[in-house]
Every structure is written in C-alpha cells, then in structure tokens.
Amino acid sequence: MAVLEKIRVKFGLAISIIIALALLSFIIDPSTLESALQGMSSKYDVGKIAGRSIRYNEFLEDVDRYTSINEVIRGTSVKSEAEQQQIRDAAWQELVDRYLFVKNAKDAGITVGKAELLDLTTGSNPSPIILQSFSSQDGFDPQNVVDFVQNAVPSDETGRLQIFWNYLQNTVNNQQFYTKYGTLFAASAYQNTLEKADAVARNNATANVDYVTVTYPFAPDSTVTVSSAEIKKFYNDHKSFFQQRANRDIEYVVFEVVPSAADIALANEKINEVYDEFATTDNMKAFLLRNSDRQLSDYWYRSGELNTINTDINNFVFDGNPTGASPVYSDRDNIFYTARVMESAQIADSAYVKHILLPAGSKDRADSLVAVIKKGGDFAALAAQFSSDQGSAADGQLGNIGWMTQTYLIPGFESVITAKVGEPYVVNTQYGTHVVLVSAKTAPMLKKKVAILEKASIASKETFNTFYSQANRFATLANHTYDGYKAAVDSLGVYSHSLNVNEATSAYGGVDQAKEVTRWVFDAKEGKSSDIITVNNNYFFIAAVKDVHKEGTADLREVADAIRQQLYTRKLAEARTADVAGKIAGKTSLEDMAEALGVNVVNEPSMSFSTTGARLLDPALVGAAYATPAGQVSGPVSGSYATYIVRVNSREDGDFFTEQDAANLALQKAQYSSQLILPVMSQIGDVKDNRARFF
C-alpha cells in the first residue's frame, strides 16, 4: 500500500506525461449492449487490425486492465465521459501496437530481447518510463525497482501491483520498438552533398520581380461548362480520393422538457418554507441531507471561488461579516440558493506534509511515535525504521510526501490544510494508520466554510406529460417516414435541425450524451423516421434519415457537385489564361501587356524562394519567377485565383541559409515523415476502428 501511495502522489503525473496515455477509470453497463452481442457478425466487433477482428469482450479486458492501473496511480475512479474516452483510446492503442506495429517492426528485423528488456527495466540502462516512475530527488536508484519487483509486487494481495508492473514492462518494450523503428526510418532519409548544396542555393536565392495579376471572376461563367462525362471520368480515375466512413444525412426535432412557471414557483416556495430552519439549525449536515440538492462541504472557500455556484452568494459571503442566512437568490436556470457562513478562518492554500505509514489499527505505535516526535525525534529516521512507505522522499527526506492542497491530497488527509505546523498527529485512511506532520504552509488568507441550501426547479409530472404529448403528436404525424416527418414539421411549425452524423456523433446541438439517437440512425433505413427517442430524461427527439452514405468509396451522385466545381475551376483558369495570352499577343514589354489587360504592374523587390519564407504568395507566381531567366518575361501562368505574367529584373544569392539549416530542414522532414509511420501502417493493415458503435 505504501508503494501505491508513492506512485499515486509522486509519480502518477510524470508517468502520464511520458507515456502520453491518460490512465483513467472506465465503467460500462453491459446491459446497454446486450442486444448487439446476440450475434457474432463483424458488425458487432469493436474493430479490425491487420485482418484480426477485435471482439467487444477482448477490448473490455484491456479497458479493465487500464482501470486497475489507474487505481494504482490515482487511487480513485473517475467517470467523466472525456476520461472514459481517454482510457478507451489507450486500450485501443495497445491493441494496435500488439497486432500491427510490433509485428511490422519484427518483420523489418527489429527485436527487443529479454536481456535488453531486463536492462531497460531493472538494469543499468533504465528506460525514461522507469526513471520517471522510480526516481526521487536524490536521483534514480535501480535497487528501488528491484525492491518493488521482489518485495512489493509479491506481497500485494490485490494483484494490482503485478498488473501495473506488467503494464510498465509492456510499455517499455513497445517504446523500444518505436524508438528503433523510428531511428531506422530517420536514418534512411539521407541527404547527400549535392542535395544539400541545392537546398542551400535554392533557399538563398531571391529576385527582384515585376508582375501583373488578372483575377478570375467570382460570378459563374456560363461559357465554361463541365459535362457529365467529364465528371464521371474524373471520378473513375480518382476513386481513391472519395473514400469515406459511414455517415448519414438526417433531420431531427427536439422537445426539451423545461419547468413551467408553476414548477419554478413551487421550487421558490419550497426553499422559503425551510428558510428559517436553515438560518438557525445546529445540525446543518442532516438538514441539507433532507432539504437541499447540494450537501454540506468541508471545503474552505476563498473570495471568488463561489462565483462558480452563484455570484450573489459569493458577494454575500465575502462582503463584510454576514450573519444568518443570505436572501434567496436565483439564476437563469431557475435554481434557487441561500447561503450561511459556518466558519471563518485564516487558512493556507497549501501544506507541506510528512507521514509515517503503519498497518491499519496501529494506534498504540502511532501514539508512541507522536510522543517521540514531539520530544524532538528525527522524523526521517523514524520513517526509515517504522514506515511501510519507503518510497515517499520528496526533497531527499524519507517520509516527505510534499505539498498538498484541498484539491490535491490523499483521501483522508483533508485535515492537513488546517493542522498546526510542527505538531504531529494521527490519521486513519484506507491505506492504514498515518503519523502526520505538517512542516510548512503557504501564507494564510481569509477563507470560509459555507452551507448552501439549493433547490432546482424541476419539471412536474404534468409538465413532463405536456412535452411528451407534443413529441408524440409529431411522431404520430411523421408515421415513421421521412416524407411524413417533413409534413409534420410544416403542420406543427416545429424547427427542424439538419445534421450529418457518423457513428461517433454523441452531441446534437447543445444536447450531449445523445448516442441513443445515433444508434437509431445507423440501424434505420433511408427515408425512415423514428419514434420518440428520450435523451437524459428531458429531451424528446424524433429523427429522420434523409440519405445514407456507406463506408468505402462514395457514390458518384454524392460527390458529383464537388467534382464539377473542381473541374469548373480548372477549366475557368485555362480559359482565362488563354484569354490573357490572346490579349497580349505580339507585345514584348510587361508594361504594354498590363495596359492591354487593364491592370497595374506590381513590384516585389526581394521575392524569396526559401521553403521557410514568411511571405505567403501564390505558388504559381513564385514558381514562374523561379523558372524565368533574369531580364525575361514569362508567358501567362495559371494560379489558384488568378493568371500571372512575371518579369524577373535581377537575381541575388544570399548566405542566410546555411548547410546546417539545410540539415535541420531535412531532419524536420524526416521527423514529419516518421509521424506518418503508424497512419500508413494502419491504412495498409486495413485498421477499422468501430468503437463509436458501442461507446
């Protein structure tokens, strides 16, 4: 347990940063997927990696394992949707590493031997992951790792330390494969002497350039047409451009259940009914349990922190020395509040904490140690002799946990914020019995404990039924068809939302956690509308599927407009450039050409051809200037938005771009290319991530 506490308090954040994985807990209710798991079709797989189907249960095993690791590092379970997504991402990445990346690395001839892994974990060449996990202020001692493996892991009856150690070894192993493969890949990006010289010359070149610009018209040009045959040919020649994930074009209406005026008045009435008791009760905890949506907190608030609840409450608590209960306040969400200051004190933000961890129930020994410390006993020496936690040694002193705040402390250590400096005492937590000493604090400031009576306006059953009836009327008129849905929108005057959704969509406008709607959409056929879909108990959705786009190559009809616009833009540029060429035929000077075209000559005194140049010019313009010999005028060149004619007046060669710059640029390109290793492997290995169907 001592090791758990050490990892949790001291090293959890470092591990998360180094490994770049959010190790957070994940809890799922299997009943939400019971119907989906009745078959074994690939439709119900979480995904596919290199031809291997990833079953839902297999994926959950990895998720459960990461949950155990999280409990080791954090000591708590967190359940926000963002955190759940992070741990699912970590579990999926490990599967990709296991079945794709490591296999490909081995096929490339890369190995990580047993002796090598031993050296990286418990040997003389520790991985950065091991260093961050087991280092202290005094540095890294490999014996700490050996002690952890030989003593802490075998004695942990929960098995969580073994899971954690297996995880560390696996991560070190995979990281070594990534390091070796990346090094091999980077070394292959060799820049020879000629390439380096060319890069230096090209990036040092500048030119004094005059040019004219003839922009393309924004209004559609009826003389430029694109035929269906041209669109079809482009589509057939470039089908790889039109790959897509499954998605749907839908429309939906939503009826939000909001409290009625009578519901709001009732909430106000209820808080006023118990107001006098709130202002005078001696048992605030029990009172709030019975009467409030917000329970009593031991948190010490400083000025400004209560603004997150209600600004009027914050002003009441910290303006002067209030007595009794505040007036009843309300906010835009029709939540009613009243507050009462329970305690005021000068409280520090942070406390520097030391501890000696003893087995649970060791009260007599803890009391004896408190007495010894009070008489001047050396805390670090006592921690070395008696503490089960031999890992906490912040600032090089055994027993030191370090700085704690109200929001960053070991569960059960809340008292350290108000404890006296230099006075040891005993604390019991889930980890055992602790002798605790606060050795320093930050400067104290005025803080207050505040009891808040809170009452939210809740829609009554009658209000709920009113909105449900409205939604039901709409669904009845829609009658499960898209055409019926459109007729219901027109008939009832309800606002219809349009949205393109994929299997990962979970938010609809301002409504989060609406995955029920997405699941219906992907189970439904084109042209169908839904029954009422209830979200979060206070939103009633009726959705209609307008168009279905299957995974794979998009149908021609789906991309025809985009192709038409692309071909139109290309043909317009060609037509305008040809038109420019006709107007300047026979003219040799740029000024005469500009006059014929009705435009002005623009001078760019120092156009750079550097790949790192700051000026953003049309690449067609820069390319024309680079290719045109000094003293000559280029022919018309088609650009992204205009046709250009360029005259190069002179060229200059600088020395600001060095061989080292060229080497650095080549290295940057190699590093960028290395970032594409896994995406390219995933494309070749046909990796399909279908987690969005389930979560």
Side-chain angles (χ1 to χ4, degrees):
M1 194 60 66
V3 179
L4 289 183
E5 187 174 313
K6 168 184 176 293
I7 292 172
R8 181 172 304 126
V9 173
K10 186 171 179 57
F11 301 118
L13 180 59
I15 293 170
S16 296
I17 293 173
I18 289 294
I19 303 174
L21 296 175
L23 304 176
L24 303 164
S25 72
F26 171 66
I27 296 176
I28 186 167
D29 178 6
S31 65
T32 62
L33 293 170
E34 183 177 356
S35 60
L37 294 177
Q38 291 175 353
M40 296 301 289
S41 165
S42 61
K43 178 181 178 181
Y44 304 115
D45 292 337
V46 172
K48 180 180 287 188
I49 301 172
R52 189 187 193 284
S53 295
I54 306 300
R55 301 296 186 189
Y56 173 73
N57 287 340
E58 177 187 2
F59 182 65
L60 277 194
E61 287 177 5
D62 268 25
V63 170
D64 289 342
R65 186 158 48 82
Y66 275 98
T67 300
S68 296
I69 295 166
N70 169 67
E71 291 173 353
V72 171
I73 291 179
R74 293 180 58 99
T76 183
S77 295
V78 278
K79 305 183 181 76
S80 76
E81 176 57 31
E83 291 164 342
Q84 291 175 16
Q85 182 61 48
Q86 286 176 317
I87 198 170
R88 293 195 292 269
D89 289 345
W92 176 257
Q93 181 60 48
E94 185 184 60
L95 289 170
V96 172
D97 288 344
R98 185 190 313 169
Y99 298 126
L100 180 70
F101 179 79
V102 172
K103 180 181 181 300
N104 286 346
K106 289 180 178 179
D107 289 344
I110 297 172
T111 61
V112 177
K114 292 182 179 179
E116 182 180 3
L117 183 60
L118 187 66
D119 192 40
L120 288 166
T121 52
T122 58
S124 58
N125 185 34
S127 160
I129 297 164
I130 298 297
L131 286 173
Q132 289 293 330
S133 303
F134 293 94
S135 293
S136 67
Q137 292 294 325
D138 295 329
F140 174 76
D141 184 353
Q143 188 59 42
N144 289 339
V145 187
V146 175
D147 290 342
F148 175 79
V149 175
Q150 294 181 351
N151 301 319
V153 172
S155 62
D156 174 34
E157 296 180 357
T158 68
R160 289 184 296 171
L161 289 186
Q162 183 64 64
I163 293 174
F164 177 69
W165 177 240
N166 291 343
Y167 159 76
L168 283 181
Q169 291 182 95
N170 184 64
T171 304
V172 169
N173 181 72
N174 289 353
Q175 187 61 46
Q176 191 70 352
F177 272 109
Y178 272 103
T179 299
K180 289 184 175 183
Y181 198 103
T183 301
L184 180 66
F185 191 86
S188 68
Y190 174 71
Q191 185 184 43
N192 63 38
T193 303
L194 292 176
E195 290 172 326
K196 185 179 295 185
D198 179 69
V200 171
R202 183 163 20 91
N203 282 279
N204 277 320
T206 60
N208 183 297
V209 175
D210 290 331
Y211 66 93
V212 296
T213 302
V214 181
T215 57
Y216 305 143
F218 289 104
D221 187 336
S222 60
T223 65
V224 178
T225 60
V226 178
S227 69
S228 297
E230 289 174 315
I231 294 173
K232 186 174 182 179
K233 183 178 186 306
F234 186 91
Y235 173 80
N236 289 331
D237 291 344
H238 302 87
K239 283 190 175 181
S240 61
F241 292 0
F242 306 113
Q243 298 302 303
Q244 64 181 8
R245 297 299 301 267
N247 63 91
R248 307 286 188 268
D249 293 325
I250 72 165
E251 295 184 30
Y252 69 92
V253 297
V254 58
F255 297 85
E256 180 184 2
V257 179
V258 295
S260 66
D263 299 329
I264 297 169
L266 181 61
N268 188 20
E269 180 182 330
K270 285 184 176 180
I271 198 170
N272 280 288
E273 284 178 356
V274 296
Y275 179 86
D276 291 341
E277 184 180 356
F278 172 72
T280 58
T281 182
D282 294 327
N283 191 347
M284 183 62 74
K285 183 176 182 179
F287 171 83
L288 293 179
L289 280 171
R290 294 193 313 270
N291 298 289
S292 179
D293 297 334
R294 182 183 297 271
Q295 303 311 305
L296 188 63
S297 170
D298 288 330
Y299 189 86
W300 288 92
Y301 292 95
R302 61 180 174 181
S303 181
E305 289 186 314
L306 285 166
N307 285 331
T308 58
I309 300 174
N310 182 274
T311 301
D312 291 325
I313 291 292
N314 184 81
N315 294 339
F316 170 82
V317 169
F318 288 99
D319 286 352
N321 297 296
T323 58
S326 73
V328 175
Y329 304 112
S330 63
D331 60 20
R332 67 177 67 183
D333 295 321
N334 294 309
I335 301 174
F336 295 90
Y337 307 88
T338 178
R340 179 178 154 193
V341 177
M342 305 304 293
E343 294 183 64
S344 297
Q346 294 291 322
I347 302 293
D349 271 343
S350 306
Y352 196 94
V353 181
K354 304 181 177 186
H355 85 140
I356 297 171
L357 178 61
L358 305 171
S362 303
K363 183 179 184 304
D364 291 342
R365 172 165 289 185
D367 290 341
S368 298
L369 289 172
V370 167
V372 171
I373 295 167
K374 285 183 176 180
K375 292 178 181 179
D378 187 293
F379 195 97
L382 293 171
Q385 183 177 357
F386 295 103
S387 182
S388 300
D389 180 7
Q390 294 295 304
S392 294
D395 301 315
Q397 290 291 319
L398 197 61
N400 287 12
I401 297 176
W403 290 100
M404 291 187 176
T405 67
Q406 289 187 90
T407 55
Y408 184 75
L409 48 72
I410 297 171
F413 270 46
E414 290 77 10
S415 59
V416 300
I417 300 300
T418 55
K420 292 183 179 179
V421 173
E423 190 168 307
Y425 65 103
V426 179
V427 169
N428 292 307
T429 73
Q430 59 180 312
Y431 312 116
T433 300
H434 307 254
V435 176
V436 177
L437 177 68
V438 175
S439 61
K441 287 186 176 182
T442 54
M445 63 181 68
L446 177 63
K447 294 188 179 183
K448 300 184 180 185
K449 280 189 178 181
V450 182
I452 300 174
L453 174 60
E454 180 179 315
K455 281 287 185 183
S457 300
I458 300 175
S460 64
K461 183 177 180 180
E462 291 76 15
T463 301
F464 186 93
N465 288 339
T466 297
F467 284 98
Y468 187 87
S469 296
Q470 294 174 12
N472 188 58
R473 183 183 178 196
F474 186 98
T476 301
L477 288 173
N479 196 28
H480 302 111
T481 68
Y482 175 71
D483 290 339
Y485 171 93
K486 297 296 289 183
V489 168
D490 293 338
S491 174
L492 299 179
V494 179
Y495 180 75
S496 177
H497 305 261
S498 297
L499 190 66
N500 176 269
V501 301
N502 56 48
E503 289 181 302
T505 303
S506 61
Y508 288 75
V511 184
D512 296 325
Q513 300 178 2
K515 205 61 180 288
E516 296 94 333
V517 180
T518 303
R519 292 193 181 102
W520 178 87
V521 166
F522 276 84
D523 283 337
K525 294 181 179 180
E526 183 178 320
K528 295 294 183 181
S529 68
S530 70
D531 290 320
I532 295 174
I533 305 170
T534 304
V535 175
N536 299 332
N537 293 320
N538 62 331
Y539 295 97
F540 301 130
F541 280 78
I542 296 93
V545 180
K546 182 179 180 181
D547 208 350
V548 171
H549 308 288
K550 296 181 180 180
E551 184 168 356
T553 304
D555 290 339
L556 176 58
R557 65 179 178 83
E558 298 172 350
V559 296
D561 287 342
I563 295 174
R564 178 180 289 104
Q565 183 59 46
Q566 184 175 347
L567 294 179
Y568 169 83
T569 301
R570 181 189 302 174
K571 295 179 76 172
L572 176 66
E574 293 171 353
R576 289 293 168 267
T577 301
D579 182 58
V580 168
K583 289 181 179 179
I584 64 171
K587 294 179 171 53
T588 57
S589 76
L590 186 64
E591 286 73 18
D592 289 343
M593 295 178 186
E595 183 178 356
L597 296 170
V599 296
N600 296 319
V601 176
V602 177
N603 177 253
E604 180 68 33
S606 185
M607 180 181 289
S608 173
F609 305 121
S610 170
T611 55
T612 58
R615 286 291 306 275
L616 295 178
L617 298 172
D618 192 325
L621 172 60
V622 177
Y626 184 75
T628 302
Q632 295 187 20
V633 178
S634 74
V637 176
S638 299
S640 301
Y641 306 101
T643 293
Y644 304 98
I645 306 173
V646 176
R647 178 177 63 201
V648 177
N649 300 317
S650 62
R651 295 183 183 278
E652 293 184 5
D653 293 325
D655 58 3
F656 49 86
F657 192 89
T658 66
E659 288 192 357
Q660 186 59 52
D661 292 328
N664 292 338
L665 183 60
L667 179 60
Q668 290 175 8
K669 292 179 179 178
Q671 291 173 340
Y672 174 77
S673 297
S674 68
Q675 295 173 7
L676 299 176
I677 291 174
L678 195 57
V680 171
M681 280 188 182
S682 297
Q683 183 178 10
I684 296 173
D686 195 26
V687 173
K688 302 294 185 185
D689 183 356
N690 299 328
R691 289 177 291 152
R693 295 176 182 170
F694 301 87
F695 306 102

